[in-house]
Amino acid sequence: MQEWSIILSAMGLAVVILSSVIGLVWKLSRIELALRSEFGKAVSDFQDEHTREIGEMKAAHAKETAELHAKVYQVEIWARDEFVRKNSFEIVVARMERGLSELRGDITGRLDKMSEKMDRQK
């Protein structure tokens, strides 16, 4: 009989050990699932934050690029206008110089004619 009691005690001990191990494994698996869930959430939050920051940087870069493009356009327009103004000014000055030369020649010619007439009348 003593043998049976040892066998039953051993079986009872095996059941207790087995149930404890199964309970421990079940608890560890739940902890692992909770940790994975929290880690996944943390990774997702990090990715969302990272994506938001990248979006903000892209928006700031796009704004700076647009401002730079506008400035370059303004400089191009200014250079074009200044070139045209300078060129036009030079053309106008050349015309005026020719006009003044012709006017000086006409005035000199008329003064010569007047002096000749005055000399003849004397």
Side-chain angles (χ1 to χ4, degrees):
M1 246 344 253
Q2 204 176 12
E3 295 173 351
W4 285 104
S5 64
I6 292 175
I7 291 175
L8 284 175
S9 296
M11 287 176 79
L13 184 61
V15 168
V16 169
I17 290 173
L18 200 60
S19 65
S20 296
V21 169
I22 289 173
L24 183 61
V25 168
W26 184 80
K27 286 179 183 178
L28 287 175
S29 67
R30 293 292 159 204
I31 291 171
E32 180 185 4
L33 289 175
L35 286 175
R36 285 183 187 225
S37 173
E38 288 298 317
F39 180 73
K41 184 180 177 192
V43 168
S44 176
D45 291 346
F46 177 76
Q47 286 175 339
D48 292 344
E49 181 69 20
H50 185 65
T51 302
R52 185 186 61 76
E53 287 176 0
I54 288 174
E56 289 174 358
M57 287 192 302
K58 282 183 179 180
H61 178 70
K63 182 182 175 187
E64 289 173 3
T65 303
E67 289 172 354
L68 184 61
H69 176 72
K71 190 64 174 178
V72 167
Y73 179 75
Q74 290 173 355
V75 168
E76 288 175 346
I77 295 300
W78 176 83
R80 182 201 68 194
D81 291 346
E82 289 301 311
F83 176 74
V84 169
R85 287 181 190 150
K86 182 180 178 187
N87 191 20
S88 298
F89 179 74
E90 289 174 351
I91 290 171
V92 168
V93 167
R95 285 182 186 168
M96 287 181 65
E97 287 174 348
R98 274 183 296 185
L100 290 174
S101 288
E102 291 174 4
L103 183 61
R104 187 180 69 205
D106 288 344
I107 290 174
T108 304
R110 288 182 184 179
L111 283 174
D112 288 343
K113 286 181 184 178
M114 267 180 48
S115 9
E116 285 176 12
K117 282 183 183 180
M118 289 172 78
D119 285 340
R120 275 189 255 159
Q121 286 183 0
K122 283 189 185 179

